[in-house]
Amino acid sequence: MTVSPLIWGITIVVILALLAFDYFFHIRKAHVPQLKEAAIWSAIYVGIAIIFGILVLVYGGTAMGSEYFAGYITEKALSVDNLFVFLIIIASFRVPREDQQKVLLFGIVFSLIARTGFIFLGAALINSFAWVFYAFGLILLITAGNLIKPDHGGGEADNFMIRLARKFFHTSEDYDGDKLFTMENGKKVLTPMLLVMVAIGGTDILFALDSIPAIFGLTQNVYIVFTATAFSLMGLRQLYFLIDGLLDRLIYLSYGLAAILAFIGVKLILHALHENNLPFVNGGQPVPVVEISTGLSLTVIIGVLVVTIVASLLSKAGKAQTAINNARRHAVNYLDLSYTADPAERERIYNALREEERQIEHMEPKYRNKAKDVDRIRAQVAEAHRQHKEYLAR
């Protein structure tokens, strides 16, 4: 089905309006989102994506609607995995809690721009060179292999671009609200806020290299690729605060995503063989192979994600890892006086830390002893308790 320029225009205006609404009504004034706010708006953005999918199903047909939902679910799952890296970067730069929303919105906007560029580049390559399906399939198989490596998700914020910026430009050690530049000793310098946005932008480009081949493996309709990608990014900021602290619980998510990407990679290669025109493969003639339908793809994607999420939530190791990592994070956040200026937020962090301590005390020793840097975590927790007592004694 060909999508008219009018529909393209309306879609782009709606997406830009959603981003503008998010900024002016939620982010412009720095604040820490409450759980209820994050839950309501996460549900609203998912609802908008589902309503759009139903409209595609009604006006575009079953095939087009199935392709949209398969693409949306895949891209949403990949976006949740991306939140792991965002969390690492934000924690590494010690971004104040009140300003984390602006960093995330920048990441979403930059990701949308980067992925849109890759979408149109990918579409142009597919239309010109049939062998691109082989390349996309290979990229996804390699990515799937990387996802199951033990060090997956251990990204560093102090990457090459950041080291260059620190070396050649004057940068301040402290934040100045959400400003990108500030004055220090009479000179204009960069703030860590600008550096963290550079780091987020760099990772967005890397994420696009994985996600775009994945969705092209499900549909070659550029409109569906664009809208499924865009709506999967909408609400990601709210989702970050909603599942903040639960990301570590999804210990099998990387395995589930690896299975999905490997499945789509095989689907792409089978499609490439079916459309083959490479002279050194079957004499340049199409290879008679079984092609995987969109319906089967959607079933596999949903099935793998359900099994992955349920297995993660039921896992005792996942519960232990979540409690230990959250205790470490909350202790560090409480000790970092620049993390938040909101007394209520500091009290929330301390109460969360105490609850995690209780969970750790009741867990089996074999899970508790698997944690890295146990002595360091204990020291940080003890220091948080000491400082809290001093705070109450004032």
Side-chain angles (χ1 to χ4, degrees), residues 250-273:
L250 302 176
I251 60 173
Y252 301 125
L253 179 62
S254 59
Y255 295 100
L257 290 176
I260 290 171
L261 293 183
F263 172 79
I264 298 174
V266 170
K267 181 178 186 295
L268 274 170
I269 291 174
L270 289 174
H271 181 72
L273 289 170

Side-chain angles (χ1 to χ4, degrees), residues 10 109 119 140 164 208 222 227 277 329 331 333 364 372 375 382:
I10 292 172
V109 172
I119 286 169
L140 292 183
L164 278 181
V222 178
T227 51
N277 59 8
R329 183 162 54 89
N333 290 344
E364 295 178 39
K372 297 178 181 177
D375 293 334

Side-chain angles (χ1 to χ4, degrees), residues 70-84 232 236 239 250 253 256-257 260 301 305 309:
Y72 172 75
I73 293 170
T74 301
E75 291 296 306
K76 197 69 174 179
L78 288 170
S79 296
V80 171
D81 189 52
N82 297 163
L83 287 179
F84 281 101
S232 72
L236 198 60
L239 187 63
L250 302 176
L253 179 62
L257 290 176
I260 290 171
I301 290 166
L305 285 177
I309 293 170

Side-chain angles (χ1 to χ4, degrees), residues 266-267 270-271 274 287-293:
V266 170
K267 181 178 186 295
L270 289 174
H271 181 72
H274 189 265
V287 180
V289 293
V290 176
E291 286 214 79
I292 300 171
S293 67

Side-chain angles (χ1 to χ4, degrees), residues 4 47 73 99 115 163 178 182-183 199 209 234 317 321-322 324-325 342 377-378:
S4 69
I73 293 170
D99 296 317
R115 295 185 189 199
R163 292 197 297 271
D178 60 356
T182 189
M183 298 300 293
L209 292 173
M234 297 291 108
Q321 180 175 304
T322 302
I324 292 169
N325 286 347
D342 184 356
I377 297 171
R378 285 173 179 162

